Amino acid sequence: KASQAPTTSKPEAALTPATTPAPGERMNATFVTLARNSDIWDISRSIRQVEDRFNRQYNYDWVFLNDKPFDEEFKKVTTSLVSGKTHYGEIPEEHWSFPSFIDQDKARKVREDMAHRKIIYGDSISYRHMCRFESGFFFRHELMNKFEYYWRVEPSIELFCDIHYDPFKYMKDHGKKYSFVLSLYEYVETIPTLWDSVVSFMKKHPEHIAEDNSMGFLSDDDGKTYNHCHFWSNFEIGNLNWLRSQAYLDYFNSLDRAGGFFYERWGDAPVHSIAAALMLKKDEIHFFNDIAYYHVPFTHCPTGDALREKLKCHCNPDNNFDWKGYSCTSRFYDLNKMEKPEGWEAESG
Ligand code: GDP
Ligand code: MN
């Protein structure tokens, strides 16, 4: 087969070393990053790794979103690093502000109280807008409308292994709608009443709850209480049509109305995870064991020497979080009756 340079509209293309694009059909998919202009160098590191390990052979697009306009330097640097097309969008004000039904005094008191209690990001307004935006709006941004799948990338992440196939195509071919690489327990101080709101949603909209759901991942008493397990959403590959579905929108709206994005500090990770676990069928959620990943402070390094050698991984297997006590991944395996990879017990200490 003929070797071809990756297609790109950029004039510098002639200077980039030719890679052979991987054969096969391209999915209707994009990377998506929420970032500030000041994140430029940290997101550049992430992009470089995603490109080296995967995208330079696939050339998927990359959407960048920001609550402020991106500056020229941010656009120039990131466009030079991404092998696909880049798109830059500003977030509409309604998606990054206090809804009218939020009591500002009450929200301010909560922030002051959380600052005293030293709860991480507890005093931050922008972090709350970020969590609400990632929970309910990124998939409805106009730049995202034409895509079916997304892969979320944050600043300062690492990818430790080659990715030898197209994860978007894997999602499509296997009917997967949500995926993760790391899971853990949420800080309960940030979500004290989240589960109460989820329970009212389930009562109001039983039609949205999947029969073969993953309640067993979220709860140890059949839904009475939340065990705080969630998929870590700084990495996500997912189906945008699911997030844009009436079921997900009803869910988001009912949580938003409850006010916990501002009266507490609900994260998009538990919000997405609870939605996926309750509204998707078990087999629509996927664990990407072969995507080796780091976001401070946790690492997913695939278990098994042979796999790591084959994928040219550079992570230290001792740092793998999967089987440690604070990870929920073992629970995901048990719930789905999956066999754990050889060597998992040795890594659980
Ligand atoms: P953490 O991973 O929970 O510690 O939070 P991060 O600081 O990594 O923020 C999560 C994501 O939202 C990252 O992609 C950040 O670049 C982005 N982000 C956080 N705060 C803001 C903000 O105020 N404006 C914009 N545009 N992006 C933000
Ligand atoms: Mn982050």
Side-chain angles (χ1 to χ4, degrees), residues 114-240:
M114 283 196 177
H116 289 130
R117 290 160 61 209
K118 305 237 186 301
I119 293 170
I120 183 167
Y121 301 120
D123 59 346
S124 172
I125 296 179
S126 65
Y127 195 84
R128 285 183 171 79
H129 290 317
M130 183 278 285
C131 290
R132 179 169 176 264
F133 175 77
E134 293 286 22
S135 296
F137 299 104
F138 84 90
F139 49 86
R140 298 190 254 178
H141 191 280
E142 59 168 356
L143 291 177
M144 299 299 286
N145 283 343
K146 67 171 175 182
F147 297 107
E148 187 182 1
Y149 292 93
Y150 71 100
W151 178 334
R152 173 168 164 184
V153 177
E154 285 205 358
S156 302
I157 61 120
E158 291 191 61
L159 287 188
F160 299 109
C161 305
D162 284 348
I163 299 172
H164 281 189
Y165 63 99
D166 183 348
F168 293 124
K169 186 159 163 34
Y170 182 91
M171 299 286 287
K172 176 121 189 157
D173 291 348
H174 296 85
K176 305 289 184 185
K177 300 203 169 136
Y178 192 82
S179 66
F180 71 100
V181 289
L182 282 159
S183 72
L184 68 159
Y185 295 92
E186 181 60 299
Y187 306 112
V188 60
E189 295 85 356
T190 66
I191 51 158
T193 70
L194 174 59
W195 193 252
D196 298 339
S197 296
V198 170
V199 169
S200 351
F201 165 76
M202 288 192 284
K203 284 213 183 93
K204 202 162 136 220
H205 285 292
E207 76 279 13
H208 292 332
I209 306 305
E211 232 164 78
D212 183 26
N213 63 43
S214 307
M215 180 61 96
F217 180 75
L218 304 175
S219 177
D220 302 339
D221 52 18
D222 251 338
K224 264 211 286 308
T225 60
Y226 180 31
N227 61 22
H228 310 130
C229 277
H230 64 290
F231 309 120
W232 220 21
S233 62
N234 47 65
F235 170 100
E236 280 179 335
I237 301 175
N239 184 309
L240 291 158

Side-chain angles (χ1 to χ4, degrees), residues 34-36 39 65-67 96 121 126-127 130 154-155 295:
L34 173 69
R36 296 155 285 217
D39 291 317
L65 301 174
N66 189 350
D67 57 307
W96 195 282
Y121 301 120
S126 65
Y127 195 84
M130 183 278 285
E154 285 205 358
H295 175 294

Side-chain angles (χ1 to χ4, degrees), residues 33-85:
T33 291
L34 173 69
R36 296 155 285 217
N37 286 308
S38 59
D39 291 317
I40 177 171
W41 300 112
D42 291 333
I43 194 60
S44 291
R45 281 169 47 207
S46 300
I47 296 170
R48 187 70 247 178
Q49 301 211 20
V50 170
E51 288 291 336
D52 288 348
R53 291 298 199 169
F54 168 69
N55 200 44
R56 69 196 188 109
Q57 298 196 296
Y58 287 85
N59 313 149
Y60 281 107
D61 286 12
W62 206 304
V63 171
F64 295 90
L65 301 174
N66 189 350
D67 57 307
K68 307 221 165 60
F70 281 112
D71 61 33
E72 286 312 310
E73 191 191 21
F74 187 99
K75 291 197 253 192
K76 192 178 70 182
V77 171
T78 53
T79 295
S80 76
L81 291 171
V82 174
S83 61
K85 288 203 194 81

